[in-house]
Every structure is written in C-alpha cells, then in structure tokens.
Amino acid sequence: MNMKNRGNEKKNNRGQITIFIIIAILIIAAGVLIYLFYPKIIPGGESAAKNPQAFMQSCLEEAINQKIDVLSLKGGSISPEHYFVYKGDTIEYLCYTNEYYKTCAMQQPMLKNHIEAEIKNSIKKDVEKCFEDLQSSFEKRGYEVNLKSGETKVELLPKRIVVNFGHELTLTKESSEKYNSIRILLNNNLYELVSIANSILNMEARYGDAETTIYMNYYKDLKVEKYKQTDGTTIYILTDRNNGKKFQFASRSISWPPGYGV
C-alpha cells in the first residue's frame, strides 16, 4: 500500500470517528431535552399538574367529547323520549306530527340551548370527580387548597365548545394563587351542524319537507343524507367530510295514510 492510500485511509477513519462523536452528542442532547420537557408536553404531564385549567382540560376533554358523540347520533339528547329507531340508533324527533297531511311542530324549538343543557347534565359526575382529583393532586404537593363549587356553563360557539366552571379555587403554599373561574375549550363544529339542522327543521315545519342539495352546494365540506321511512318519518344525517363528525335527527311531517303515494 503506498503512502497516498495510507493517508486516505487515515482521513477516512478520522472522518468516521468524527461522525460517530457528532451522533453521540446529538443522542445525548436529545435525551436531555426529552427528560426536561417531555412531562410538560404530554396530557396530564407537569404543565397540567401545575395549572388547574390545564388539569381540568386534560381530565375532562375525552369524557365531554364522548358525551357529544352520543347525543349527536341521537338527535341532541342523551336519552331521547320520543324517537325513531334507525339502524339500531334511537334518533329523537325534532319535528313531529301524528296526523296525516299536516306539517310537523318543533319538539325542541331551542335546540342549541337544549344540547348545552344535555352536555352540562351528562358531565356532572365527571366534573365533580375531576375537581376532587385536582384538589388531591395539589394537596399531595404541599398546597393548602380552598375550593368552592360553582355553576357549570356549556356554550356551543362557532367551531368550538366552551365549558366554564364558576368554582372558586385558592392555592396556597409560599404564596397564594386565586382562580375565580376555570374554563376549558374543545375544538368542535357541533354549533355549525346544529345550525344547519335548525334550518332543515324550519323547512320541515313550514313546507313538510326540505331540499338537502342546497346545503351541500353551499357548504362544500358537508354531506346531508335524507332517508324516508314507510311511516312518514324522515331521517336526516349531517356529516362533516373533514372529520367525520355527525348530527342526525328524525322528523315526521305531511305524512300520507298507507296506500297513498307521496
């Protein structure tokens, strides 16, 4: 092997060692960063433990979303009283008449308010449990906790759902921190789906039917399905094409007796 080849080999070896050293440094640096910041970025991690609002967000978000999914498939109520069974789902009548040839009457004229109340009532136990866990979590870390219960308020707003807790929370350790209310936010477009449902229901109540294609022409990300049943019931299914979220409901308006064509 000549001197030139030996020199190249030494250079290659030094280059490989340099690369290995750089990789080792990067791995160590990544490990340090993960150790320092990982608890702060995972749900329920350090940031949630230190921040009451983040704690409640982490504790309640999944439970609230589950309740919303349930009532959305049932027409806005967790346990509908007046419903039509469609493919195994109990779907609430939001507009109904038991007479032939007549238009339906609204069953939930304040649908948005009704859904807000349904969410609030359905998460009551979850809220109580999460505040108990919140108090216990801070007490275990040496805080004196003073918690006064307040009213829970749920609001459907454009592209989001806001839950406000009127609880008063005071945390005391070396100093005191006071929270007069705690609020959590969920990204959800139930407000939009309910608004479209209301529009369809108004057409059902006025004309006895609704033309669904106009909604899909205007809202490009919306799918509206309409299924007529033999007893005169119509099932409407609204679906957001982006996230698959649905809101479905039943209506019975201007029905014909058996043997009559529509």
Side-chain angles (χ1 to χ4, degrees), residues 29-87:
V32 171
L33 290 173
I34 290 173
Y35 175 79
L36 291 175
F37 296 107
Y38 181 68
K40 298 180 181 180
I41 60 176
I42 61 171
E46 187 176 338
S47 66
K50 290 183 177 179
N51 185 328
Q53 188 158 290
F55 185 99
M56 294 301 292
Q57 178 87 29
S58 176
C59 187
L60 281 169
E61 186 167 1
E62 183 178 354
I64 296 175
N65 279 324
Q66 287 176 351
K67 300 296 193 306
I68 291 169
D69 289 343
V70 170
L71 67 84
S72 293
L73 295 179
K74 294 187 175 185
S77 296
I78 294 292
S79 300
E81 295 181 2
H82 188 203
Y83 57 83
F84 184 91
V85 178
Y86 178 75
K87 292 186 177 181

Side-chain angles (χ1 to χ4, degrees), residues 49-250:
K50 290 183 177 179
N51 185 328
Q53 188 158 290
F55 185 99
M56 294 301 292
Q57 178 87 29
S58 176
C59 187
L60 281 169
E61 186 167 1
E62 183 178 354
I64 296 175
N65 279 324
Q66 287 176 351
K67 300 296 193 306
I68 291 169
D69 289 343
V70 170
L71 67 84
S72 293
L73 295 179
K74 294 187 175 185
S77 296
I78 294 292
S79 300
E81 295 181 2
H82 188 203
Y83 57 83
F84 184 91
V85 178
Y86 178 75
K87 292 186 177 181
D89 291 328
T90 54
I91 304 178
E92 186 171 13
Y93 281 107
L94 296 182
C95 199
Y96 183 82
T97 179
N98 59 3
E99 299 182 63
Y100 295 116
Y101 315 116
K102 290 189 176 181
T103 55
C104 60
M106 291 287 201
Q107 303 299 295
Q108 296 290 354
M110 304 293 288
L111 181 59
K112 173 179 171 290
N113 292 2
H114 170 74
I115 291 174
E116 290 170 342
E118 283 286 295
I119 296 173
K120 173 185 172 180
N121 293 333
S122 69
I123 64 173
K124 185 176 180 180
K125 291 183 179 179
D126 297 295
V127 171
E128 292 174 355
K129 179 65 166 58
C130 284
F131 270 109
E132 289 174 4
D133 291 346
L134 172 66
Q135 181 169 348
S136 176
S137 173
F138 277 92
E139 286 176 343
K140 286 178 180 178
R141 289 185 287 118
Y143 285 87
E144 179 184 337
V145 181
N146 186 358
L147 179 63
K148 296 181 181 178
S149 297
E151 183 182 359
T152 299
K153 183 179 181 181
V154 178
E155 291 183 279
L156 299 188
L157 298 172
K159 297 183 180 181
R160 64 194 188 279
I161 296 175
V162 177
V163 185
N164 286 286
F165 307 103
H167 295 55
E168 291 184 6
L169 174 67
T170 304
L171 303 173
T172 305
K173 202 171 187 181
E174 296 175 357
S175 60
S176 291
E177 300 175 43
K178 186 171 183 179
Y179 301 84
N180 292 321
S181 65
I182 294 175
R183 176 176 114 155
I184 66 174
L185 176 69
L186 296 91
N187 295 321
N188 194 294
N189 65 337
L190 183 58
Y191 176 93
E192 284 76 13
L193 295 178
V194 169
S195 297
I196 294 167
N198 268 325
S199 177
I200 292 173
L201 289 163
N202 284 327
M203 295 179 76
E204 283 273 327
R206 185 170 183 179
Y207 304 112
D209 196 13
E211 175 52 58
T212 58
T213 56
I214 60 175
Y215 297 98
M216 289 188 284
N217 289 335
Y218 189 79
Y219 301 101
K220 300 302 182 182
D221 296 326
L222 177 71
K223 179 182 179 182
V224 183
E225 299 169 87
K226 174 181 173 183
Y227 300 105
K228 292 279 189 179
Q229 307 301 304
T230 56
D231 71 334
T233 295
T234 303
I235 301 296
Y236 289 94
I237 304 175
L238 313 181
T239 306
D240 185 325
R241 298 180 190 270
N242 292 320
N243 55 29
K245 295 293 185 181
K246 295 185 177 184
F247 185 81
Q248 55 189 28
F249 58 94

